[in-house]
Amino acid sequence: MTRAHLLGTGSALPKRLVTNAELAAEVDTSDEWIVERTGIRQRYIAGEGETTATLATQAALNALDDAGIDAKSIDLIVLATATPDNTFPATATKVQHALGCNGGIAFDVAAVCSGFLYALGTADSMIRTGMAKRALVIGAETFSRILDWEDRTTCVLFGDGAGAAVLEAREVAGDAADTGILTTKLHADGAQHDLLYVDGGPSTTQTVGHLRMKGREVFRHAVTNLADVLKETVEAVGVKTEDVDWVVPHQANKRILDATAKKMGIAPERVVVTVDKHANTSAASVPLALDTARKDGRIKAGDLILLEAMGGGFTWGASLIRL
Ligand code: ACO
């Protein structure tokens, strides 16, 4: 059977780093509160000239370089974002043009913090059915532009950035020992809309709006939903949780990462944590964490890795990949 294989990863961050202490000079908060409640120590904030498309393009170029692949051979770009450059066209088409691989398929997916998992699942399906051979899957966000900087309960939690992965179709035996994406499980529950949403949009207010979140309730749902989908994913492939070398989670809050790992019986040393450096970068967080752990040598060829995320909608999902 055909499976999508991960050939390379890349990431990009805005130039400006903002520490908790710098934020505390502008907002009624403290480094101590942010670190204790979330594990976040700093975030990167996009400046003039930096947009979701420019960050996505840089992450894509780094991923292509890592894979040793020419952009011209990319026939599919799926870009996950909740903060596109424009309402339309899709930011993916801007990235495609910047990379010079015009002519293939390019579109955005909107699943907020689960966006990279939704994009990965979509690209994997299109590769397995033969619609594409080489794909770029990108998560890119500029959440700083939809934050209410007067609302300390949300503005301290997020950052900007982008991460990308290059996938290629390869033939494998079709069993649990295969390399490539082994399975992706995705879910949504629209009943939870009001716990995490943006209070604007083209068809409602004709404004961009600001992020609104009932953090404590999101936290409670996140741990339950993530533990359930992790279990579903490993069971679907027929492997055990102990077989997983690395968990690469969405980086929302260190306490969510710890609670989910504990519930699943996963040792904390096997969980990639970047929330301290990047904060919550929504759809960019999983590929940013994946790229960080590949480049620093933790994640290696042959490893079994489990990606997972949960976000607004609610949406959530997980993907099991053997490198
Ligand atoms: N600085 C100082 N104090 C603050 C801050 C701040 N930045 N924010 C809130 N507080 C205060 C509150 O006012 C409250 O004070 P009170 O007790 O006097 O009323 C107190 O701190 C506790 O507030 P809680 O909201 O109950 O704090 P909690 O421990 O729940 O932590 C947090 C809040 C960090 C938001 C947590 O609930 C969380 O991480 N939730 C999950 C968020 C998440 O996972 N999002 C993922 C998806 S994101 C996406 O999809 C876009």
Side-chain angles (χ1 to χ4, degrees), residues 70-133:
D70 184 347
K72 297 231 173 336
S73 67
I74 296 292
D75 55 6
L76 168 67
I77 299 177
V78 190
L79 188 149
T81 191
T83 46
D85 278 24
N86 300 82
T87 303
F88 80 82
T91 303
T93 60
K94 286 181 94 170
V95 174
Q96 186 206 50
H97 184 53
L99 296 176
C101 53
N102 309 42
I105 307 165
F107 60 97
D108 291 356
V109 300
V112 204
C113 297
S114 315
F116 188 77
L117 271 302
Y118 268 71
L120 195 71
T122 306
D124 176 39
S125 300
M126 293 175 81
I127 284 176
R128 278 191 284 113
T129 55
M131 278 185 82
K133 294 265 179 271

Side-chain angles (χ1 to χ4, degrees), residues 27-30 33-34 37-38 111-114 143 151-158 196 211 213-220 222 250-256 280 282 310-315:
V27 181
D28 180 17
T29 189
S30 65
W33 190 94
I34 301 172
R37 302 288 176 131
T38 71
V112 204
C113 297
S114 315
F143 257 50
D151 175 13
R152 68 173 182 172
T153 68
T154 53
C155 75
V156 303
L157 304 173
F158 296 90
L196 179 54
L211 181 147
M213 177 167 74
K214 296 194 175 108
R216 190 166 280 195
E217 287 165 70
V218 174
F219 193 116
R220 193 167 48 78
H250 169 50
Q251 311 283 322
N253 184 319
K254 178 76 166 62
R255 285 155 58 215
I256 296 180
N280 181 348
S282 186
M310 139 111 189
F314 287 153
T315 53

Side-chain angles (χ1 to χ4, degrees), residues 3-323:
R3 285 198 198 271
H5 283 65
L6 186 89
L7 298 194
T9 55
S11 52
L13 292 162
K15 286 186 201 73
R16 185 170 160 231
L17 185 158
V18 179
T19 63
N20 290 346
E22 284 173 74
L23 212 54
E26 308 284 328
V27 181
D28 180 17
T29 189
S30 65
D31 177 50
E32 195 188 16
W33 190 94
I34 301 172
V35 173
E36 190 191 305
R37 302 288 176 131
T38 71
I40 297 166
R41 293 183 183 276
Q42 59 176 51
R43 75 284 294 139
Y44 293 83
I45 302 290
E48 213 185 321
E50 291 176 318
T51 69
T52 295
T54 68
L55 293 167
T57 301
Q58 191 53 55
L61 286 168
N62 293 342
L64 290 164
D65 187 46
D66 184 45
I69 294 292
D70 184 347
K72 297 231 173 336
S73 67
I74 296 292
D75 55 6
L76 168 67
I77 299 177
V78 190
L79 188 149
T81 191
T83 46
D85 278 24
N86 300 82
T87 303
F88 80 82
T91 303
T93 60
K94 286 181 94 170
V95 174
Q96 186 206 50
H97 184 53
L99 296 176
C101 53
N102 309 42
I105 307 165
F107 60 97
D108 291 356
V109 300
V112 204
C113 297
S114 315
F116 188 77
L117 271 302
Y118 268 71
L120 195 71
T122 306
D124 176 39
S125 300
M126 293 175 81
I127 284 176
R128 278 191 284 113
T129 55
M131 278 185 82
K133 294 265 179 271
R134 270 187 182 165
L136 260 171
V137 181
I138 307 170
E141 302 278 16
T142 44
F143 257 50
S144 64
R145 289 171 182 156
I146 55 162
L147 294 175
D148 175 355
W149 287 97
E150 307 278 306
D151 175 13
R152 68 173 182 172
T153 68
T154 53
C155 75
V156 303
L157 304 173
F158 296 90
D160 302 332
V166 178
L167 301 181
E168 182 180 72
R170 287 192 184 166
E171 296 306 309
V172 285
D175 56 37
D178 283 353
T179 49
I181 299 179
L182 303 176
T183 194
T184 302
K185 299 289 177 193
L186 302 171
H187 297 280
D189 177 6
Q192 310 302 339
H193 173 280
D194 293 353
L195 298 185
L196 179 54
Y197 66 103
V198 167
D199 62 3
S203 185
T204 50
T205 60
Q206 297 87 56
T207 62
V208 172
H210 289 119
L211 181 147
R212 305 291 173 207
M213 177 167 74
K214 296 194 175 108
R216 190 166 280 195
E217 287 165 70
V218 174
F219 193 116
R220 193 167 48 78
H221 283 274
V223 177
T224 310
N225 290 345
L226 289 171
D228 286 352
V229 77
L230 289 182
K231 189 164 173 285
E232 180 190 3
T233 305
V234 291
E235 283 178 1
V237 175
V239 297
K240 298 195 190 69
T241 313
E242 306 86 88
D243 300 330
V244 175
D245 295 297
W246 290 100
V247 179
V248 186
H250 169 50
Q251 311 283 322
N253 184 319
K254 178 76 166 62
R255 285 155 58 215
I256 296 180
L257 304 188
D258 292 343
T260 311
K262 194 170 170 203
K263 202 165 177 188
M264 288 296 294
I266 296 166
E269 313 81 72
R270 290 197 284 140
V271 180
V272 176
V273 179
T274 53
V275 69
D276 53 334
K277 297 190 182 66
H278 303 151
N280 181 348
T281 57
S282 186
S285 92
V286 169
L288 262 168
L290 176 61
D291 188 49
T292 302
R294 280 188 73 248
K295 298 286 162 65
D296 70 20
R298 276 180 288 173
I299 295 181
K300 298 183 208 57
D303 281 354
L304 187 62
I305 62 170
L306 189 52
L307 314 184
E308 48 103 321
M310 139 111 189
F314 287 153
T315 53
W316 65 100
S319 183
L320 194 63
I321 310 172
R322 197 183 313 278
L323 297 178

